[in-house]
Amino acid sequence: AQRVTQPEKLLSVFKGAPVELKCNYSYSGSPELFWYVQYSRQRLQLLLRHISRESIKGFTADLNKGETSFHLKKPFAQEEDSAMYYCALDTTSYGKLTFGQGTILTVHP
Amino acid sequence: NAGVTQTPKFQVLKTGQSMTLQCAQDMNHNSMYWYRQDPGMGLRLIYYSASEGTTDKGEVPNGYNVSRLNKREFSLRLESAAPSQTSVYFCASSELGLAGGDEQFFGPGTRLTVL
């Protein structure tokens, strides 16, 4: 069965520092991978997906099939990036997502 | 557009009571989903509906039933609530579903406590 692991439950950085949220997955086929974010008092929303290969709010994520990883990176963290981040894997049709445990990112001023 | 709406926002039940969580979307999406969110567990899929008239089990379906009432509405029923069902429940929808890789749009969540 597929699995998504986010090894850090909590991650704290200072404003302007680089940040990397780790995500590893187990799946032998070609995965569809996503990062979802939940800001305080807001709904869970899509941040980015690997098939789009885009940068959203300064965040990027590269799929590394050899290491089965999809880490989320930003070179200069901002206070407004503080949120819960979920990595998610879609291995089937019908859009059934498998989520990681989530990482709470806190960016200190 | 309201997007995905859920009712109620909060609910407290006693063990053994039943209730239905309601979800509706106004984006004409084909697929709808129910997740539960527990600390340290992330979101886990309970049931999903790939299209109107179809439903299927997700990762943690035991103790739940669903109804895809029409294209807009997808309800989740707890027949006999247990303390282990204390959680935050999220409904979501996506446009195509069948193709995979779609963005899912989430509702605001229902916080359920079972005593």
Side-chain angles (χ1 to χ4, degrees):
Chain A
Q2 60 269 19
R3 189 171 64 246
V4 177
T5 303
Q6 293 178 248
E8 302 131 336
K9 193 178 289 190
L10 302 170
L11 186 60
S12 289
V13 299
F14 286 99
K15 178 183 172 181
V19 63
E20 181 180 52
L21 291 84
K22 290 186 167 51
C23 172
N24 290 91
Y25 66 92
S26 64
Y27 179 61
S28 56
S30 293
E32 301 275 2
L33 283 151
F34 305 81
W35 278 98
Y36 280 82
V37 61
Q38 189 172 27
Y39 301 104
S40 179
R41 299 191 193 87
Q42 293 188 28
R43 303 181 183 204
L44 192 63
Q45 58 188 284
L46 178 68
L47 179 63
L48 56 80
R49 63 188 116 180
H50 91 273
I51 56 173
S52 300
R53 300 183 189 278
E54 56 194 347
S55 173
I56 303 292
K57 299 185 178 183
F59 284 98
T60 58
D62 291 319
L63 176 60
N64 186 323
K65 290 188 178 181
E67 295 183 359
T68 59
S69 68
F70 188 57
H71 303 327
L72 183 68
K73 300 176 185 178
K74 186 169 183 176
F76 307 103
Q78 303 299 314
E79 289 179 69
E80 55 265 31
D81 296 329
S82 296
M84 170 74 92
Y85 290 80
Y86 287 104
C87 183
L89 170 67
D90 182 357
T91 62
T92 69
S93 56
Y94 311 118
K96 293 185 335 183
L97 292 177
T98 298
F99 282 85
Q101 302 91 325
T103 297
I104 299 174
L105 173 66
T106 303
V107 181
H108 299 284
Chain B
N1 288 353
V4 179
T5 57
Q6 292 182 234
T7 55
K9 285 191 169 61
F10 302 94
Q11 184 71 47
V12 179
L13 294 177
K14 293 181 180 177
T15 297
Q17 286 185 316
S18 62
M19 78 161 296
T20 299
L21 308 184
Q22 306 286 354
C23 173
Q25 52 91 9
D26 60 3
M27 297 173 281
N28 201 37
H29 284 171
N30 287 305
S31 298
M32 298 184 74
Y33 312 85
W34 276 106
Y35 295 91
R36 58 179 288 172
Q37 181 188 43
D38 300 292
M41 307 283 287
L43 277 78
R44 291 179 293 168
L45 183 65
I46 305 171
Y47 270 93
Y48 69 99
S49 171
S51 60
E52 185 180 355
T54 68
T55 62
D56 211 341
K57 295 177 181 179
E59 182 184 352
V60 288
N62 290 347
Y64 305 95
N65 284 301
V66 290
S67 295
R68 183 76 182 266
L69 305 168
N70 47 55
K71 193 170 186 179
R72 289 188 64 248
E73 297 172 288
F74 188 39
S75 63
L76 178 72
R77 182 158 178 85
L78 287 71
E79 291 290 353
S80 178
S84 60
Q85 294 178 304
T86 293
S87 187
V88 181
Y89 291 84
F90 288 99
C91 179
S93 69
S94 66
E95 185 173 2
L96 294 175
L98 288 174
D102 283 344
E103 177 179 1
Q104 292 191 12
F105 293 83
F106 285 80
T110 295
R111 188 172 295 274
L112 174 67
T113 301
V114 183
L115 303 175

